[in-house]
Amino acid sequence: MDEVKVVVAHSERATLRVGDVFLKVDSDQARIDVEVEAMALAPVPTPQVLWRKPPVLAIAAVPGTALGRLGEPSTASPAAWAAAGAATRKLHDTPLPPWRGRRRRDPDELAAELDAECELLVKNGVLPADLVTRNRQVAEAALRPWTPAFTHGDLQIDHVFVDGGEVTGIIDWSEAGPGDALFDLATFTLGHEEHLDDVIAGYGTDIDLDEIRAWWSLRSLLGVRWLIEHGFDPFAPGCEVDVLRSRM
């Protein structure tokens, strides 16, 4: 009998692996709807949907290995990172999906959320005031109008699978929708700044590095409390708090 492995579990959703099948349990059916539709529309390799019976979605494992993990060195080749950049560009060049997306939709909304979060981080003693203030300054460069692209919305490196220099699958599409293309690139390279040049080479267009760094700070500031509250450790080496400290 195949072993049941808990991939991730928190109060919002859980993912289990049984052999070569992933079972995603999510009470938010709108989120599952987005995931299924996004995988059908995306012009990149995605998991095969095996069956769906709310609140469970069953998908097949993709071949290859994850490009890496936040907080750990990546052993993937520069060619693999460049291939991931090229796949991301292909996604961003695809016509927008028909739904609005779950991510923030304008700079003013994002700025208001960020300011409120920064206040809580300092007030509750989660992070030092100087660290929050400095990264709020860095994050300002991300708060500008952008042309919406078809974005993955949560393009962490462990969501991208490769075999050699080829992308074999991109998983976890529940946050997909219209958004800022640089958010995807920043999420993908968070904590792995040394691979940014390879990703941009594969992406194939000029990128404003200050805006990428701004998204690193912004995403990390918004993520720290959520991660703590859901049983993750943003203070682990190489993770979100270290990303914030690197801007000092």
Side-chain angles (χ1 to χ4, degrees):
M1 181 178 293
D2 290 321
E3 181 184 47
V4 177
K5 178 182 178 182
V6 178
V7 179
V8 63
H10 50 75
S11 60
E12 294 182 3
R13 67 190 95 164
T15 301
L16 309 176
R17 180 168 186 168
V18 185
D20 288 332
V21 176
F22 286 88
L23 302 175
K24 306 192 74 169
V25 184
D26 196 328
S27 60
D28 185 343
Q29 288 308 292
R31 190 156 47 204
I32 293 295
D33 290 342
V34 165
E35 179 146 17
V36 172
E37 289 187 56
M39 288 191 294
L41 292 174
V44 296
T46 61
Q48 177 189 3
V49 175
L50 300 176
W51 52 265
R52 180 181 180 187
K53 186 175 181 180
V56 182
L57 172 67
I59 60 175
V62 297
T65 57
L67 192 62
R69 293 187 181 280
L70 183 62
E72 300 176 8
S74 171
T75 59
S77 67
W81 283 89
T88 305
R89 176 64 182 276
K90 190 174 184 180
L91 174 67
H92 292 166
D93 285 345
T94 300
L96 294 177
W99 59 90
R100 293 186 68 193
R102 302 171 62 90
R103 291 288 179 184
R104 302 116 189 139
R105 289 180 289 274
D106 64 69
D108 291 339
E109 181 184 357
L110 186 57
E113 181 181 358
L114 179 60
D115 288 339
E117 188 63 28
C118 288
E119 182 178 351
L120 286 173
L121 289 170
V122 175
K123 180 180 179 180
N124 296 338
V126 179
L127 294 174
D130 61 340
L131 185 65
V132 173
T133 299
R134 170 56 183 157
N135 278 276
R136 176 60 182 85
Q137 293 169 346
V138 173
E140 186 68 26
L143 302 175
R144 84 282 182 243
W146 58 77
T147 300
F150 189 156
T151 59
H152 179 280
D154 192 22
L155 196 63
Q156 302 177 53
I157 58 170
D158 56 353
H159 292 165
V160 180
F161 284 71
V162 296
D163 184 1
E166 178 183 357
V167 173
T168 55
I170 299 177
I171 65 172
D172 286 358
W173 291 82
S174 61
E175 302 296 328
D180 182 0
L182 294 191
F183 178 78
D184 269 356
L185 293 174
T187 301
F188 182 58
T189 54
L190 185 77
H192 289 273
E193 186 169 357
E194 69 277 12
H195 297 292
L196 181 57
D197 287 345
D198 295 324
V199 173
I200 292 175
Y203 194 77
T205 189
D206 291 336
I207 297 295
D208 188 326
L209 297 184
D210 285 341
E211 291 178 4
I212 292 286
R213 296 184 183 102
W215 272 119
W216 287 338
S217 290
L218 200 157
R219 180 182 171 96
S220 297
L221 286 169
L222 290 180
V224 167
R225 277 197 321 118
W226 186 95
L227 291 165
I228 293 171
E229 291 169 359
H230 289 81
F232 302 101
D233 184 10
F235 290 88
C239 294
E240 285 79 3
V241 175
D242 273 356
V243 170
L244 295 173
R245 288 170 177 155
S246 71
R247 298 301 110 196
M248 298 297 286

